[in-house]
Amino acid sequence: MSVNWMDLKREIHNEVEKVWFHEPTEVTMSKLGIFPSGAGTNHQYLGNLFFLNADTQAMGWWTIEPTMYCVLGDERFSLDICKQLFIYLNGPIAHLLGDVLEPNCPAPWLNMPKFAYFHDKIVESYATIETKEELRDLLWSWFCYVNRINSWFYTVLPWELGKNLQRKDLNDVQHLADLLGYKLEQQ
């Protein structure tokens, strides 16, 4: 039996309300370096936080959301093509962030099980979506959720680590060249 898109919209909306003002457990776990899946390189999790920030941004306001709104508003794209495009664009990232693949990945890879869950439920609801406007309405709720989670990851990313990664200007480069006994040439 398929999922009714209006019921799913309410479910997503309820999740948005839960995470709007209160940091979700998945974000708290991630910022503390708790990844039951084992994600991370050499027991480091900065890369995980980077990907959580970047991938949720790509799924939301930066890439997939504007693309979907463009095709939904373009008469050259049918409802069926829009539905399939959502699967192609959203599915790989949603499943990377939230899938469990036993035995090597015993928990959601990047702590985001609701991403895979909601993506799959949206696809399951396709049979009840009869217009592009209905799909847009459902995706509006989905992108609201994705963008809110992205805001949390943007907030908890340890930006202070960038203090040691200062941009170099021409004077800095000249100073380094002088220290090394090199002469800079303009090109």
Side-chain angles (χ1 to χ4, degrees), residues 45-65:
Y45 67 96
L46 179 60
N48 297 359
L49 291 177
F50 169 79
F51 282 107
L52 284 162
N53 186 43
D55 287 351
T56 56
Q57 179 182 9
M59 287 181 84
W61 65 271
W62 189 251
T63 306
I64 297 174
E65 180 180 14

Side-chain angles (χ1 to χ4, degrees), residues 39-106:
T41 303
N42 295 325
H43 294 330
Q44 297 175 27
Y45 67 96
L46 179 60
N48 297 359
L49 291 177
F50 169 79
F51 282 107
L52 284 162
N53 186 43
D55 287 351
T56 56
Q57 179 182 9
M59 287 181 84
W61 65 271
W62 189 251
T63 306
I64 297 174
E65 180 180 14
T67 300
M68 287 306 304
Y69 290 155
C70 284
V71 298
L72 285 164
D74 188 327
E75 63 187 33
R76 295 174 294 178
F77 292 86
S78 69
L79 175 60
D80 287 338
I81 289 174
C82 292
K83 288 176 178 179
Q84 192 60 43
L85 189 57
F86 177 77
I87 293 170
Y88 291 154
L89 292 172
N90 195 74
I93 300 173
H95 286 283
L96 174 67
L97 297 178
D99 272 353
V100 173
L101 297 172
E102 295 285 354
N104 296 330
C105 183

Side-chain angles (χ1 to χ4, degrees), residues 13-178:
H13 180 78
N14 289 340
E15 193 61 32
V16 170
E17 284 190 344
K18 284 189 223 173
V19 302
W20 196 260
F21 291 112
H22 303 287
E23 184 177 282
T25 301
E26 302 95 307
V27 174
T28 303
M29 288 173 60
S30 299
K31 80 175 182 184
L32 296 175
I34 301 167
F35 288 88
S37 65
T41 303
N42 295 325
H43 294 330
Q44 297 175 27
Y45 67 96
L46 179 60
N48 297 359
L49 291 177
F50 169 79
F51 282 107
L52 284 162
N53 186 43
D55 287 351
T56 56
Q57 179 182 9
M59 287 181 84
W61 65 271
W62 189 251
T63 306
I64 297 174
E65 180 180 14
T67 300
M68 287 306 304
Y69 290 155
C70 284
V71 298
L72 285 164
D74 188 327
E75 63 187 33
R76 295 174 294 178
F77 292 86
S78 69
L79 175 60
D80 287 338
I81 289 174
C82 292
K83 288 176 178 179
Q84 192 60 43
L85 189 57
F86 177 77
I87 293 170
Y88 291 154
L89 292 172
N90 195 74
I93 300 173
H95 286 283
L96 174 67
L97 297 178
D99 272 353
V100 173
L101 297 172
E102 295 285 354
N104 296 330
C105 183
W109 182 241
L110 287 175
N111 291 344
M112 303 304 297
K114 291 177 185 146
F115 274 63
Y117 169 81
F118 281 134
H119 171 269
D120 292 348
K121 289 295 181 185
I122 289 169
V123 174
E124 285 179 42
S125 78
Y126 279 2
T128 67
I129 297 172
E130 298 177 357
T131 67
K132 288 167 75 173
E133 291 74 24
E134 290 174 346
L135 180 59
R136 181 185 177 92
D137 194 20
L138 175 58
L139 293 185
W140 182 90
S141 295
W142 165 244
F143 291 128
C144 187
Y145 174 72
V146 169
N147 290 331
R148 187 63 191 132
I149 295 297
N150 174 250
S151 295
W152 281 112
F153 280 118
Y154 184 85
T155 301
V156 304
L157 193 77
W159 296 104
E160 65 275 8
L161 295 175
K163 185 69 177 155
N164 296 319
L165 303 170
Q166 297 292 308
R167 182 184 67 248
K168 307 297 185 257
D169 62 19
L170 184 57
N171 290 334
D172 295 321
V173 174
Q174 181 63 58
H175 178 71
L176 291 172
D178 292 345

